[in-house]
Short mmCIF file of all heavy atoms in Angstrom, two decimals:
data_model
loop_
_atom_site.label_atom_id
_atom_site.label_comp_id
_atom_site.label_asym_id
_atom_site.label_seq_id
_atom_site.Cartn_x
_atom_site.Cartn_y
_atom_site.Cartn_z
N GLU A 622 -1.40 -2.97 10.68
CA GLU A 622 -1.01 -3.41 9.34
C GLU A 622 -2.19 -4.13 8.66
O GLU A 622 -2.79 -5.03 9.23
CB GLU A 622 0.17 -4.36 9.42
CG GLU A 622 0.66 -4.84 8.08
CD GLU A 622 1.87 -5.74 8.21
OE1 GLU A 622 1.86 -6.64 9.06
OE2 GLU A 622 2.81 -5.54 7.44
N HIS A 623 -2.48 -3.72 7.43
CA HIS A 623 -3.55 -4.34 6.65
C HIS A 623 -2.96 -4.88 5.35
O HIS A 623 -2.03 -4.27 4.79
CB HIS A 623 -4.65 -3.33 6.33
CG HIS A 623 -5.42 -2.92 7.54
ND1 HIS A 623 -6.51 -3.62 7.99
CD2 HIS A 623 -5.25 -1.90 8.41
CE1 HIS A 623 -6.99 -3.04 9.08
NE2 HIS A 623 -6.23 -1.99 9.36
N GLN A 624 -3.51 -6.00 4.87
CA GLN A 624 -3.00 -6.62 3.66
C GLN A 624 -4.14 -6.95 2.71
O GLN A 624 -5.24 -7.29 3.15
CB GLN A 624 -2.23 -7.89 4.01
CG GLN A 624 -1.02 -7.60 4.88
CD GLN A 624 -0.30 -8.87 5.29
OE1 GLN A 624 -0.74 -9.98 5.06
NE2 GLN A 624 0.85 -8.69 5.92
N LEU A 625 -3.86 -6.83 1.43
CA LEU A 625 -4.77 -7.22 0.36
C LEU A 625 -3.98 -8.03 -0.64
O LEU A 625 -2.76 -7.94 -0.70
CB LEU A 625 -5.30 -5.98 -0.38
CG LEU A 625 -6.05 -4.90 0.36
CD1 LEU A 625 -6.16 -3.66 -0.52
CD2 LEU A 625 -7.43 -5.41 0.70
N SER A 626 -4.70 -8.78 -1.46
CA SER A 626 -4.09 -9.45 -2.61
C SER A 626 -4.93 -9.10 -3.82
O SER A 626 -6.16 -9.07 -3.75
CB SER A 626 -4.07 -10.96 -2.42
OG SER A 626 -3.16 -11.30 -1.40
N TYR A 627 -4.26 -8.85 -4.92
CA TYR A 627 -4.95 -8.53 -6.17
C TYR A 627 -4.43 -9.46 -7.26
O TYR A 627 -3.23 -9.55 -7.48
CB TYR A 627 -4.70 -7.06 -6.56
CG TYR A 627 -5.18 -6.72 -7.93
CD1 TYR A 627 -6.54 -6.72 -8.22
CD2 TYR A 627 -4.29 -6.43 -8.95
CE1 TYR A 627 -6.99 -6.44 -9.50
CE2 TYR A 627 -4.73 -6.12 -10.22
CZ TYR A 627 -6.08 -6.14 -10.49
OH TYR A 627 -6.52 -5.87 -11.76
N ALA A 628 -5.35 -10.14 -7.92
CA ALA A 628 -4.97 -11.03 -9.01
C ALA A 628 -4.79 -10.19 -10.28
O ALA A 628 -5.76 -9.64 -10.81
CB ALA A 628 -6.04 -12.09 -9.22
N ILE A 629 -3.55 -10.06 -10.73
CA ILE A 629 -3.27 -9.31 -11.95
C ILE A 629 -3.89 -10.09 -13.11
O ILE A 629 -3.60 -11.28 -13.28
CB ILE A 629 -1.76 -9.14 -12.16
CG1 ILE A 629 -1.12 -8.40 -10.97
CG2 ILE A 629 -1.48 -8.39 -13.47
CD1 ILE A 629 0.39 -8.37 -11.00
N PRO A 630 -4.76 -9.46 -13.89
CA PRO A 630 -5.41 -10.19 -14.99
C PRO A 630 -4.40 -10.80 -15.96
O PRO A 630 -3.36 -10.21 -16.26
CB PRO A 630 -6.25 -9.10 -15.70
CG PRO A 630 -6.47 -8.06 -14.65
CD PRO A 630 -5.23 -8.07 -13.80
N ASN A 631 -4.74 -12.00 -16.45
CA ASN A 631 -3.87 -12.68 -17.43
C ASN A 631 -3.65 -11.83 -18.67
O ASN A 631 -2.62 -11.92 -19.32
CB ASN A 631 -4.49 -14.02 -17.85
CG ASN A 631 -4.38 -15.04 -16.74
OD1 ASN A 631 -3.41 -15.07 -16.00
ND2 ASN A 631 -5.39 -15.89 -16.64
N SER A 632 -4.62 -11.00 -19.00
CA SER A 632 -4.55 -10.19 -20.23
C SER A 632 -3.71 -8.92 -20.08
O SER A 632 -3.56 -8.16 -21.03
CB SER A 632 -5.96 -9.80 -20.66
OG SER A 632 -6.59 -9.05 -19.63
N THR A 633 -3.14 -8.69 -18.91
CA THR A 633 -2.33 -7.49 -18.68
C THR A 633 -1.06 -7.54 -19.51
O THR A 633 -0.28 -8.49 -19.42
CB THR A 633 -1.98 -7.36 -17.18
OG1 THR A 633 -3.18 -7.39 -16.42
CG2 THR A 633 -1.22 -6.08 -16.90
N LEU A 634 -0.87 -6.53 -20.34
CA LEU A 634 0.32 -6.46 -21.19
C LEU A 634 1.55 -6.10 -20.35
O LEU A 634 1.44 -5.37 -19.36
CB LEU A 634 0.12 -5.40 -22.28
CG LEU A 634 -1.00 -5.66 -23.27
CD1 LEU A 634 -1.16 -4.47 -24.21
CD2 LEU A 634 -0.73 -6.94 -24.06
N PRO A 635 2.73 -6.57 -20.75
CA PRO A 635 3.94 -6.19 -20.04
C PRO A 635 4.15 -4.67 -20.12
O PRO A 635 3.89 -4.06 -21.15
CB PRO A 635 5.05 -6.91 -20.81
CG PRO A 635 4.37 -8.01 -21.55
CD PRO A 635 2.98 -7.50 -21.84
N GLY A 636 4.58 -4.10 -19.01
CA GLY A 636 4.85 -2.66 -19.00
C GLY A 636 4.91 -2.10 -17.60
O GLY A 636 4.94 -2.82 -16.61
N ASN A 637 4.92 -0.77 -17.54
CA ASN A 637 4.99 -0.04 -16.28
C ASN A 637 3.58 0.27 -15.78
O ASN A 637 2.80 0.88 -16.50
CB ASN A 637 5.77 1.26 -16.46
CG ASN A 637 7.22 1.01 -16.82
OD1 ASN A 637 7.91 0.26 -16.15
ND2 ASN A 637 7.68 1.63 -17.88
N TYR A 638 3.31 -0.11 -14.54
CA TYR A 638 2.01 0.12 -13.94
C TYR A 638 2.19 0.82 -12.60
O TYR A 638 3.32 0.97 -12.10
CB TYR A 638 1.25 -1.20 -13.75
CG TYR A 638 0.82 -1.81 -15.06
CD1 TYR A 638 1.69 -2.61 -15.80
CD2 TYR A 638 -0.45 -1.57 -15.58
CE1 TYR A 638 1.30 -3.15 -17.02
CE2 TYR A 638 -0.84 -2.10 -16.79
CZ TYR A 638 0.04 -2.90 -17.51
OH TYR A 638 -0.35 -3.43 -18.70
N ILE A 639 1.07 1.25 -12.03
CA ILE A 639 1.09 1.96 -10.76
C ILE A 639 0.01 1.37 -9.86
O ILE A 639 -1.13 1.17 -10.29
CB ILE A 639 0.82 3.46 -10.97
CG1 ILE A 639 1.92 4.09 -11.81
CG2 ILE A 639 0.68 4.19 -9.63
CD1 ILE A 639 1.60 5.50 -12.29
N VAL A 640 0.38 1.11 -8.62
CA VAL A 640 -0.62 0.83 -7.59
C VAL A 640 -0.83 2.19 -6.91
O VAL A 640 0.09 2.75 -6.33
CB VAL A 640 -0.16 -0.24 -6.59
CG1 VAL A 640 -1.20 -0.46 -5.52
CG2 VAL A 640 0.15 -1.54 -7.34
N LEU A 641 -2.04 2.71 -7.05
CA LEU A 641 -2.35 4.07 -6.62
C LEU A 641 -3.24 4.05 -5.38
O LEU A 641 -4.32 3.47 -5.41
CB LEU A 641 -3.05 4.82 -7.76
CG LEU A 641 -3.34 6.30 -7.54
CD1 LEU A 641 -2.04 7.09 -7.41
CD2 LEU A 641 -4.17 6.82 -8.70
N PHE A 642 -2.77 4.66 -4.31
CA PHE A 642 -3.52 4.79 -3.08
C PHE A 642 -4.10 6.20 -3.05
O PHE A 642 -3.35 7.18 -3.08
CB PHE A 642 -2.61 4.57 -1.87
CG PHE A 642 -2.09 3.16 -1.76
CD1 PHE A 642 -1.05 2.72 -2.57
CD2 PHE A 642 -2.65 2.28 -0.85
CE1 PHE A 642 -0.58 1.42 -2.49
CE2 PHE A 642 -2.18 0.98 -0.75
CZ PHE A 642 -1.15 0.55 -1.57
#
Side-chain angles (χ1 to χ4, degrees):
E622 181 178 46
H623 291 273
Q624 298 177 353
L625 301 167
S626 290
Y627 171 67
I629 301 171
N631 287 325
S632 60
T633 305
L634 297 175
N637 296 308
Y638 291 85
I639 297 169
V640 178
L641 185 65
F642 293 77

